[in-house]
Amino acid sequence: MKKVLVAVSIIALASVFAFPQSNLVDTVREEGEGKSAQSGFAEEEFRRGVQSFYRGNYNEAILEFEKALSYLPGENRILEWLGKSYYMSGIEGAALQQWEMARQQEWGGLLLSNKIEIVGDRRVTDTEYGFTQRYTEAGSFPNLNGKALIYSHPISSLPNPDGSVWVVAYGSNELLRYDVNGIVLDRVRGLEGFDRPVDIIRLSGGNLLVSESAGNRLSELDPSGKLVKHIGKRGRGLGELIGPQYVAEDSQGNIYTSDYGNNRVVVFDQDGNGLLSFGGKTDEFAGLKSPTGIAVWEDRVFVADSVKGGVYEFDRAGNYKGVLVEEGTLKKPESMKCWGNYLIIADLNRVMTVDVHSGSVYENATSGNGKTQITSAVPDRNGNLIVTDFKANEIYVMSKMSELIGGFFVQIQRVHSDSFPKVTLELKVENRKRQPIVGLGEGNFLITESKRPVANMELVGSANNDGVADITLLIDRSYQMRDYEEQVNTAVREIAASMQGKGEVKIVSASSVPTTEFTGSPSDLSNFSVKALKAPYAADCAIDTAMRLSANSLVNAQKKRGIIYITAGDVNDLAFNRYSLSDLAAFMNNNSVSFNTILMRNGAPASEIEYITDNTTGESYYVYRPEGLSSVMDDILSIPSGVYVLSYTSSLSTEFGRRYLPVEVEAYLLSRSGRDETGYFAPLQ
């Protein structure tokens, strides 16, 4: 009896300490043999590599995966993870090589093939992406809920930073706010009620402005839709209106509206006082017959005429400057909004874009030849067009054909399993051109383990809604910067003050050897002096290494983060000797780090600096610009982010923390979707 008990105990003990089911394919084992020693070493290096990856230590992860490959050459799962580590490190060429090796061995299926295609395709910069491409309907916001009417005669729309959109309903005299899934979040009718509202814009101060055609006025609302004041009244005098339609704002806060009943444009100051009107007949201009859409691009004022079918340019004082789009080119233009260096125009049954430099016209979309009248087309935060069709009583969501076919690019970037079985995922949802997809809710995601839905899935948060950002101030220490010490002091203090004590600031000096000078609260920089920096001025500054150091310091920072480079704008011959421009930009983009430039001299910086700024969602600022530098932080916080945090309860067995646990995520929005899959290890027991 005792012998039997001893035997059972030995078997039980062996089962406890037995190595778990293999996470990798043993590529060095001969057929018929047991598990090789190399496999065990590879398993341990692989586990450490996965953990380093999720801690954001990508260089360390690369070394561990390469060591794992030395034990099991050509093992596909290691190749895939090595590629992921190279990708997050910004070395996308090496990442594609590793993934391609795995694909050639029939690993990863369509998911890996799609990843290779997207990453390879978007390495080629396409600055005109979207402006001259064809769009097609991806979904719509229905006007009926069963037999109940939701809205009547939508006429214009306004996108919001969180992915939602305001829609003006002319027929039902109201504003509706929709989320990305077409669900009504808010409905605003106003205390006094709207009287045939036509257009809506967001003013530079954050309030909304709505034109009321039958009310002969403009209504300023707070961001939630509460009335602040009315602007204008019925009449033909200064500051008076008859049937105002579309509205725009210039850089000084002046408001322009097409005064349809008086065949002119009326201008108000930011307080609502009438300034001037223009558009009548002059020696140079025959006069407007039916002004509709209006847009202000870099203080050039453009006005469309629905009868003449053309677009005309004026200056801010109302002086006629010429024709942008020849008469008869457009059928019946309505709303006209700025879109990059283009104007997007709703034109009867078409959506058109016009190049503000050349006047070239492109057709982006059409609603056919039926009962239709497109009155507005506005790009939303996710790269779609929100199109209102007045006659068809429809609100369309239009997407680029390539996006509908290719879907989203979903990446699970972090897995936090310290509280297993509760698991938290950080993932990024983008389109094929790195543009983030914002506004998704819990219902837009599905998490599975080995293709089985998980329990207790919850959307913990969306980085797009974060109001805090971490910043690294990168200070140029080239000899030219010795002449700008006071300007540097001013820039650092002003940016730090604008952070209002929120977030963390790091200061890195870009000298011959980059140096981290400071880490702490922005409040501690109120008396910053450039003379306190340890790194000396140098003839040859390692700008690339300094950029890499700055970006690496933000990998584990707040989800909204950015580098602000304070520089005279010059570079030396050895400035980018170690890292290429494309690899630096990829590293920042793949880790959601924006690169912004504050120039000590007015003018363009060196082409290398300009390239990094333009390709990382950043902006360039002159240190003495009239509005100051306090808005730089606002600009960084306003950059869209497609990072989401989800949690769930796992039902998998961990085998004491040594089993590789699979997880898959799918993201859906209207007719588009994307997925990713990865794995992780629970804590060792």
Side-chain angles (χ1 to χ4, degrees):
M1 183 66 177
K2 290 182 178 179
K3 291 182 180 180
V4 173
L5 288 174
V6 170
V8 171
S9 299
I10 292 173
I11 292 171
L13 192 63
S15 67
V16 168
F17 290 102
F19 201 85
Q21 179 181 354
S22 179
N23 300 311
L24 306 172
V25 176
D26 195 343
T27 57
V28 299
R29 180 178 62 84
E30 295 290 339
E31 186 174 353
E33 291 183 359
K35 185 174 181 178
S36 69
Q38 301 332 58
S39 177
F41 294 136
E43 294 264 5
E44 188 59 29
E45 293 295 338
F46 176 72
R47 185 179 65 83
R48 283 201 286 260
V50 170
Q51 292 173 330
S52 295
F53 180 91
Y54 288 142
R55 288 195 298 266
N57 298 330
Y58 303 123
N59 291 338
E60 185 179 311
I62 289 170
L63 294 175
E64 285 158 343
F65 289 133
E66 287 181 338
K67 192 171 182 180
L69 276 178
S70 71
Y71 294 121
L72 292 181
E75 207 286 332
N76 290 318
R77 179 164 282 160
I78 303 175
L79 287 172
E80 182 182 6
W81 271 93
L82 179 58
K84 289 168 67 171
S85 301
Y86 276 128
Y87 174 81
M88 293 303 292
S89 293
I91 313 172
E92 293 183 341
L96 291 170
Q97 288 179 350
Q98 306 304 318
W99 290 335
E100 186 60 40
M101 287 174 62
R103 181 170 69 170
Q104 289 176 0
Q105 299 178 97
E106 300 183 353
W107 174 267
L110 289 175
L111 184 61
L112 182 58
S113 296
N114 188 55
K115 182 182 292 187
I116 292 171
E117 178 191 350
I118 290 175
V119 173
D121 177 59
R122 69 186 191 177
R123 295 181 76 202
V124 180
T125 303
D126 185 0
T127 57
E128 298 299 319
Y129 183 69
F131 298 120
T132 60
Q133 291 200 10
R134 293 290 299 182
Y135 283 69
T136 189
E137 184 179 343
S140 63
F141 301 162
N143 70 322
L144 293 174
N145 182 10
K147 293 184 179 180
L149 184 69
I150 300 176
Y151 61 78
S152 174
H153 294 96
I155 192 167
S156 61
S157 61
L158 173 70
N160 295 311
D162 62 358
S164 65
V165 58
W166 285 107
V167 175
V168 177
Y170 179 90
S172 48
N173 286 317
E174 61 185 339
L175 305 180
L176 301 98
R177 188 167 72 91
Y178 283 91
D179 72 5
V180 294
N181 297 296
I183 298 172
V184 177
L185 301 174
D186 292 302
R187 190 185 296 269
V188 177
R189 295 188 173 95
L191 291 176
E192 301 177 16
F194 295 115
D195 198 352
R196 296 304 182 219
V198 174
D199 196 18
I200 180 171
I201 62 171
R202 182 175 290 102
L203 299 172
S204 54
N207 281 349
L208 307 176
L209 187 71
V210 177
S211 61
E212 297 183 57
S213 179
N216 302 304
R217 65 191 182 190
L218 310 178
S219 292
E220 184 175 342
L221 317 173
D222 70 12
S224 67
K226 183 179 179 180
L227 179 67
V228 175
K229 64 182 178 184
H230 293 305
I231 297 173
K233 63 179 181 179
R234 179 181 174 82
R236 300 184 182 277
L238 181 64
E240 296 178 341
L241 306 163
I242 297 179
Q245 293 199 340
Y246 298 98
V247 285
E249 183 187 30
D250 68 17
S251 63
Q252 304 301 310
N254 298 321
I255 297 166
Y256 299 73
T257 182
S258 49
D259 186 8
Y260 187 83
N262 290 318
N263 296 329
R264 64 182 183 177
V265 172
V266 174
V267 186
F268 298 90
D269 67 16
Q270 57 187 346
D271 296 320
N273 303 308
L275 286 180
L276 65 124
S277 63
F278 63 86
K281 185 176 181 180
T282 65
D283 292 340
E284 298 177 330
F285 182 51
L288 297 169
K289 287 188 176 181
S290 178
T292 49
I294 188 166
V296 181
W297 183 87
E298 293 189 354
D299 286 342
R300 296 166 63 188
V301 183
F302 298 101
V303 182
D305 192 305
S306 63
V307 170
K308 294 184 175 183
V311 177
Y312 310 93
E313 180 182 347
F314 302 83
D315 64 18
R316 291 175 52 242
N319 299 306
Y320 175 70
K321 306 299 290 185
V323 176
L324 179 68
V325 177
E326 294 293 335
E327 296 179 3
T329 303
L330 304 173
K331 299 176 182 178
K332 190 179 179 182
E334 291 284 341
S335 167
M336 183 166 62
K337 304 294 181 182
C338 295
W339 191 18
N341 293 329
Y342 291 77
L343 303 177
I344 183 168
I345 303 176
D347 185 34
L348 192 58
N349 65 338
R350 306 179 298 174
V351 176
M352 316 290 285
T353 48
V354 178
D355 189 320
V356 296
H357 298 297
S358 66
S360 301
V361 180
Y362 307 88
E363 182 181 295
N364 297 96
T366 179
S367 58
N369 296 317
K371 181 182 177 182
T372 183
Q373 184 183 358
I374 294 176
T375 49
S376 78
V378 182
D380 72 1
R381 296 284 276 189
N382 291 328
N384 304 309
L385 293 180
I386 306 299
V387 178
T388 56
D389 192 324
F390 187 83
K391 285 188 177 179
N393 213 20
E394 290 277 2
I395 305 168
Y396 306 116
V397 180
M398 291 189 170
S399 301
K400 294 174 280 290
M401 183 65 73
S402 59
E403 295 296 333
L404 289 177
I405 296 172
F408 297 140
F409 186 43
V410 179
Q411 307 160 70
I412 303 172
Q413 297 187 321
R414 297 284 176 92
V415 178
H416 302 280
S417 59
D418 292 345
S419 301
F420 190 88
K422 182 178 180 180
V423 180
T424 302
L425 307 179
E426 293 180 16
L427 62 145
K428 183 189 287 188
V429 185
E430 300 174 313
N431 67 12
R432 298 174 68 90
K433 293 292 183 179
R434 295 190 193 274
Q435 295 172 316
I437 305 301
V438 305
L440 301 181
E442 193 171 296
N444 295 107
F445 296 99
L446 173 65
I447 303 178
T448 57
E449 293 177 320
S450 299
K451 310 302 186 289
R452 293 188 297 272
V454 299
N456 304 320
M457 190 194 86
E458 179 184 358
L459 176 62
V460 177
S462 167
N464 192 64
N465 300 326
D466 288 355
V468 178
D470 286 345
I471 297 298
T472 295
L473 295 171
L474 177 59
I475 300 178
D476 182 2
R477 296 294 282 167
S478 62
Y479 284 139
Q480 293 90 333
M481 290 293 288
R482 289 180 296 188
D483 299 329
Y484 302 103
E485 290 192 349
E486 281 308 311
Q487 290 91 326
V488 174
N489 291 341
T490 299
V492 172
R493 293 171 189 173
E494 193 169 348
I495 291 168
S498 71
M499 296 178 71
Q500 301 178 344
K502 300 176 182 177
E504 185 178 75
V505 177
K506 290 183 173 65
I507 295 179
V508 173
S509 288
S511 187
S512 55
V513 177
T515 305
T516 300
E517 305 272 5
F518 171 85
T519 300
S521 169
S523 302
D524 296 333
L525 295 174
S526 58
N527 294 315
F528 170 82
S529 173
V530 72
K531 293 186 183 301
L533 299 179
K534 302 181 186 70
Y537 291 108
D540 296 319
C541 296
I543 299 176
D544 56 350
T545 309
M547 287 182 179
R548 182 83 185 191
L549 175 62
S550 300
N552 197 58
S553 70
L554 293 168
V555 167
N556 292 314
Q558 293 281 348
K559 298 297 178 289
K560 288 202 169 179
R561 51 220 185 186
I563 299 168
I564 300 176
Y565 183 37
I566 302 174
T567 178
D570 300 321
V571 300
N572 57 74
D573 293 339
L574 302 179
F576 294 92
N577 194 40
R578 184 170 181 182
Y579 296 101
S580 70
L581 294 175
S582 60
D583 284 352
L584 286 169
F587 181 48
M588 295 179 200
N589 283 322
N590 296 344
N591 290 281
S592 304
V593 177
S594 66
F595 185 87
N596 306 270
T597 307
I598 294 179
L599 296 169
M600 300 296 101
R601 296 196 300 254
N602 204 356
S607 59
E608 295 90 340
I609 305 301
E610 197 168 30
Y611 175 90
I612 298 291
T613 306
D614 291 344
N615 285 277
T616 55
T617 66
E619 297 289 342
S620 186
Y621 308 87
Y622 175 46
V623 68
Y624 284 137
R625 67 180 192 149
E627 59 268 48
L629 298 174
S630 59
S631 64
V632 173
M633 283 304 303
D634 291 335
D635 292 344
I636 291 174
L637 285 168
S638 69
I639 296 172
S641 174
V643 175
Y644 298 86
V645 180
L646 303 166
S647 68
Y648 67 95
T649 301
S650 176
S651 61
L652 298 177
S653 170
T654 70
E655 296 188 20
F656 306 101
R658 293 192 171 274
R659 183 182 176 193
Y660 181 77
L661 306 177
V663 61
E664 308 90 33
V665 176
E666 295 189 43
Y668 305 89
L669 179 60
L670 300 177
S671 57
R672 300 163 65 185
S673 65
R675 67 186 300 271
D676 191 21
E677 57 186 38
T678 189
Y680 63 96
F681 292 91
L684 286 172
Q685 297 177 9

